[in-house]
Amino acid sequence: MAGGRVTLADHVEIRTAPAAGQWAAPPDSRRWWTLSVLCLSLLMVVVGNTALNVAIPTLVRDIHATDTQLQWIVDAYSLVFAGLLLTAGALGDRFGRKGALTIGLCIFGTGSFLAGVSDTPNQLIICRAIMGMGGAFVMPATLSILTNVFPVHERARAIAIWAGVAGAGGAIGPITSGYLLAHFHWGAVFFINLPVVAVALIGGKFLVPTSRDPNRIPLDPVGSVLTIVGLASLLYGIIEAPIRGWSDARTMASFALAVVVLAEFALWEWRNPQPMLDLNFFKRKRFTGGALAITLVFFGMFGMFFLITQYLQFVHGWTPLGAGVRLLPFAGVMMVTAPSSARIAERIGTKRTVAAGLAIAAVGLLIASRLQVNSGYGLLVIAFSVMALGMAMTMPSSTASILSSLPMGKQGVGSAVNDTTRELGGALGVAVLGSIFATRYTSALGSLSRLPAAASEAARSSVGGAIEVAHQIGGPAGAAFEHTAKKAFISGQSTAFVLAAAVALAASFLIWRIMPMHLSYDYEAMEDAAAGDEELAVELEELGAFEGAEGADETVDDGHDGGGRRERTGVGAGSVRR
């Protein structure tokens, strides 16, 4: 810097390949150990959200939970988690992401311990809500710390590992829960989190650096309240719709409240000079395209898990542990492929990677739609492998696309947006695919007029209920009714999977249309630095638009450019150095 002026060289380096000693600031030598702590914390949160599903029959038997209480035991976590994500991400940006991670782990661990010793359904509901609060602080903190620890040329690959752990957690949860339920009291499903929290806290103390938004933007309490109410109302409506019906008064009221509150949130943020979530971010195609891809891939993934676990347990008759173990191919392919997806994106570009991943996932869903009552496990392994391959290609690049479009000071909010789209997409997948399945299942089941009213209602409510009714009937008639129920389940599942495949394929075409080919980190922040420096502004204009700006075509080698001719660091890797 000469004459007190900021020059372009102070903000950016251009070179053909990264080499040792060339970084403006050396990367943290502990960064891969840091990633292991972050992934462990992430896995705990994801597993905590999925492991309880297979414990539902045990909770009915041991603590006498009603259907309504069971629903709230499962949903309390998701409602609080989704509602607090944006607020928790913004608090991490403002006060420090390491602190947010630590607080979240402590809250999650406390909720887990209290849940394990609960002896009534209402106590368990409250504890699950506490766990959701902790998870809302942990999940965005892990991703925002990651982006601040890793230099640009490694960031995409670190995000790919993070996304692989997040995706595999959906399959690991039922396996863990099934094993624990087979050998221990149901409280072990929650107690297993305590040693994980302890290890994460100790590792975080020594291996996780802190970071925050250097601009110290004031908090936005009004925006926080509006997002909590709006997102919780939206998720509640999505969860309730398959149970009560999409036209039910309570469902419609939830959606109406969500629309009104989220619209008010948008107006408030638009007028607020220091918004929690700058709505201009949605003008960036990387941000919007990445969020859309995450939403739709989790739409298919969560909807698939919702149905396939029932297929394994009710149609094939496997135990919860047996069903969980048979999900291992999905988790295995996800864990292996996701870290490699960054290298794929380096060669062919972000847009091609995400679009191809969604198309491959659609093929896997179509294969799954061919499953029958007597299908062998081999066909299921093929379907799992293809779906996991496609989803593992989609998730890391989509997450990196969201984060690369934001300044480093907003990585907490960006991470929260990524996590919120995952949660809403997953809930929407369960609701929509579950509703399509239920409609087709009930139709294929046929007339049940010969059954008593209670038995007819039980058979229509679920395939598990229908199989129980068949066992009560007994004899050849019971066996015939059980076969009919399983065939009806297959009909509903096939229809739902075909719809999910169509959504994934449509998403692939949409991503191809709207997502830029390459990915880069927020170089546009230099325009602010150039505003008060005429010479820097001239240099910036002569160099041309950065690839980080919309409409620019210049390739930047940051791990997702599909060509890798040269790399910029400095502002792109962090914030402007004054």
Side-chain angles (χ1 to χ4, degrees):
M1 189 183 305
R5 269 198 305 247
V6 181
T7 64
L8 188 61
D10 292 313
H11 298 290
V12 64
E13 296 173 7
I14 301 176
R15 61 177 182 267
T16 56
Q22 286 188 310
W23 296 102
D28 193 326
S29 60
R30 304 169 301 169
R31 59 193 181 278
W32 294 106
W33 287 105
T34 300
L35 180 61
S36 67
V37 174
L38 299 178
C39 287
L40 180 65
S41 304
L42 169 70
L43 184 63
M44 179 191 67
V45 172
V46 175
V47 169
N49 196 20
T50 59
L52 193 63
N53 293 332
V54 297
I56 287 176
T58 306
L59 295 177
V60 173
R61 183 180 64 250
D62 289 359
I63 62 174
H64 310 293
T66 66
D67 287 344
T68 300
Q69 289 171 329
L70 285 174
Q71 179 188 348
W72 277 104
I73 289 170
V74 174
D75 295 343
Y77 183 101
S78 298
L79 287 172
V80 175
F81 179 74
L84 285 176
L85 273 171
L86 281 175
T87 298
L91 288 172
D93 282 341
R94 177 64 175 81
F95 295 108
R97 292 147 189 155
K98 180 177 180 178
L101 176 63
T102 301
I103 291 172
L105 287 169
C106 291
I107 294 174
F108 194 93
T110 301
S112 297
F113 173 77
L114 294 175
V117 298
S118 297
D119 53 15
T120 69
N122 290 335
Q123 289 176 1
L124 191 53
I125 291 169
I126 294 172
C127 295
R128 288 281 291 170
I130 294 173
M131 291 174 65
M133 181 187 301
F137 280 90
V138 170
M139 199 165 186
T142 60
L143 188 53
S144 56
I145 291 171
L146 181 157
T147 58
N148 277 270
V149 167
F150 282 87
V152 172
H153 76 289
E154 293 178 341
R155 196 172 299 157
R157 292 170 191 171
I159 289 174
I161 295 173
W162 181 96
V165 171
I172 293 173
I175 300 172
T176 305
S177 182
Y179 175 81
L180 292 173
L181 289 171
H183 295 85
F184 304 100
H185 178 260
W186 61 264
V189 173
F190 301 105
F191 289 143
I192 191 65
N193 294 324
L194 300 181
V196 178
V197 168
V199 172
L201 285 172
I202 295 171
K205 172 69 175 177
F206 299 103
L207 298 173
V208 176
T210 191
S211 62
R212 61 171 59 89
D213 186 349
N215 295 320
R216 299 278 185 166
I217 294 175
L219 296 177
D220 182 9
V222 174
S224 296
V225 172
L226 291 173
T227 58
I228 292 170
V229 175
L231 289 173
S233 299
L234 177 60
L235 191 62
Y236 179 78
I238 292 173
I239 291 171
E240 286 288 306
I243 301 169
R244 297 181 177 274
W246 292 88
S247 59
D248 177 77
R250 183 178 295 187
T251 303
M252 296 295 290
S254 298
F255 285 133
L257 178 62
V259 169
V260 171
V261 174
L262 291 177
E264 178 59 31
F265 169 74
L267 291 173
W268 172 263
E269 296 297 286
W270 189 262
R271 290 189 287 237
N272 190 352
Q274 302 288 351
M276 178 174 66
L277 176 61
D278 190 345
L279 299 184
N280 287 309
F281 291 158
F282 288 95
K283 296 179 181 179
R284 303 184 179 187
K285 294 179 181 178
R286 286 174 188 80
F287 185 87
T288 304
L292 178 65
I294 288 290
T295 300
L296 295 180
V297 77
F298 274 86
F299 174 94
M301 179 173 151
F302 275 47
M304 180 272 296
F305 276 134
F306 173 73
L307 294 175
I308 211 70
T309 51
Q310 297 181 64
Y311 172 79
L312 294 173
Q313 293 187 56
F314 294 127
V315 176
H316 278 287
W318 288 317
T319 64
L321 177 58
V325 168
R326 285 167 175 83
L327 296 175
L328 278 175
F330 185 94
V333 173
M334 178 72 70
M335 291 290 289
V336 171
T337 306
S340 304
S341 67
R343 296 186 182 276
I344 297 172
E346 288 175 12
R347 290 173 171 79
I348 67 175
T350 303
K351 177 168 76 172
R352 292 192 184 103
T353 302
V354 175
L358 287 165
I360 293 171
V363 173
L365 288 164
L366 285 175
I367 295 173
S369 72
R370 306 305 300 167
L371 291 169
Q372 301 298 320
V373 173
N374 57 354
S375 293
Y377 181 56
L379 180 61
L380 191 59
V381 169
I382 294 172
F384 277 158
S385 299
V386 176
M387 278 189 285
L389 174 63
M391 293 175 182
M393 290 176 62
T394 302
M395 294 176 195
S397 294
S398 300
T399 296
S401 184
I402 293 172
L403 297 179
S404 72
S405 65
L406 304 180
M408 294 300 289
K410 288 295 183 183
Q411 292 298 293
V413 170
S415 302
V417 169
N418 175 79
D419 300 336
T420 301
T421 57
R422 290 161 55 96
E423 195 70 19
L424 291 178
L428 196 60
V430 171
V432 173
L433 297 182
S435 295
I436 296 295
F437 160 80
T439 300
R440 183 60 184 155
Y441 166 76
T442 303
S443 174
L445 203 56
S447 174
L448 302 178
S449 58
R450 295 183 179 181
L451 293 176
S456 175
E457 179 64 25
R460 291 185 183 279
S461 65
S462 69
V463 66
I467 292 173
E468 183 64 29
V469 170
H471 291 168
Q472 292 174 2
I473 295 172
F481 183 68
E482 180 176 348
H483 183 73
T484 299
K486 290 181 177 180
K487 291 286 288 184
F489 180 92
I490 291 298
S491 177
Q493 177 177 264
S494 297
T495 303
F497 283 171
V498 169
L499 173 63
V503 170
L505 192 59
S508 176
F509 283 111
L510 189 58
I511 290 300
W512 186 263
R513 295 282 298 174
I514 69 172
M515 182 177 277
M517 181 64 71
H518 308 305
L519 173 132
S520 65
Y521 288 82
D522 196 347
Y523 305 107
E524 295 169 337
M526 285 195 298
E527 295 176 2
D528 296 333
D533 191 315
E534 186 174 329
E535 183 177 338
L536 176 58
V538 171
E539 287 187 63
L540 192 59
E541 182 178 358
E542 289 176 351
L543 186 59
F546 285 100
E547 198 276 334
E550 296 296 344
D553 295 323
E554 189 173 357
T555 300
V556 178
D557 185 10
D558 57 17
H560 274 261
D561 62 10
R565 288 179 298 184
R566 58 183 183 172
E567 178 183 3
R568 296 191 178 91
T569 62
V571 170
S575 55
V576 177
R577 297 189 301 273
R578 299 289 184 180

